[in-house]
Amino acid sequence: MTDLLLLAAATPELPGRLNPVQLFLDADIVVQAVMIGLLLASVWTWMIIVGFSMRMASVRKRCAEYEEAFWEAESFEALMTQRGKKDIASARVASAAMREWKHSVKGGRVADRDGLRQRLAAAMESQVATEADDLSGRLNFLATVGSVAPFVGLFGTVWGIMNSFFQIGQQQNSSLAVVAPGISEALFATAIGLFAAIPAVIAYNRFGHAVNAIEARLQRFADRFHASLSRELEGM
């Protein structure tokens, strides 16, 4: 009876579930570096997700408010003078058209009406593309994380499994007790890679659709403003 009690006391208590912190601490230095890099990428990804979500909400709200005031205003130029300097995408599109209008309409006369229409359309389309590029600039990081993170995690997995086989050779023992810890640490690197990649891919697709929606909204605004300017041009 005494021997059984001593044996039970000497036997270490096995953990009831996986401990991620312990897996990280027990991992090889290379695998640890991979895990740290993936965790940093995941943190930066979530910062972009939160920041971009807030930015897109602000862009939609400002554009909606500006466009509503724009079409109700008696003077487009007065409204743009009052609110054109604010960070509003629709205002910058309208300002691009008005700059071209002022350069082309001198003394109330226009030499080439069709040419002016084309220049107005080109000026606004260029500004719409600039606004879309500015919005989607930070999405490249999400695309990179979404495509690269699983392979970085796989590299950590391969390295950890190689280390496990090395331990088998060193200890001349191929039992599961020797191999399992190293494989668990290695697979943990793959899990972190997926943890970083999955939100990045989802966010990239969702935000890409949101940017396309904003671009389409600005293009509709530009088309409507172009029609208004065309009607005014016909009366000159």
Side-chain angles (χ1 to χ4, degrees), residues 33-91:
V34 169
M35 292 179 182
I36 291 174
L38 291 172
L39 287 174
L40 291 176
S42 179
V43 170
W44 187 247
T45 295
W46 281 104
M47 290 176 63
I48 292 177
I49 291 173
V50 174
F52 199 87
S53 299
M54 297 174 62
R55 183 182 182 187
M56 291 301 294
S58 176
V59 168
R60 284 191 291 266
K61 180 180 178 181
R62 290 181 179 181
C63 286
E65 292 176 350
Y66 180 84
E67 291 171 20
E68 182 179 359
F70 187 85
W71 299 120
E72 294 177 355
E74 296 181 358
S75 172
F76 293 158
E77 188 171 356
L79 177 66
M80 286 186 287
T81 301
Q82 178 183 0
R83 304 179 62 176
K85 294 183 179 180
K86 295 183 179 181
D87 185 17
I88 304 174
S90 299

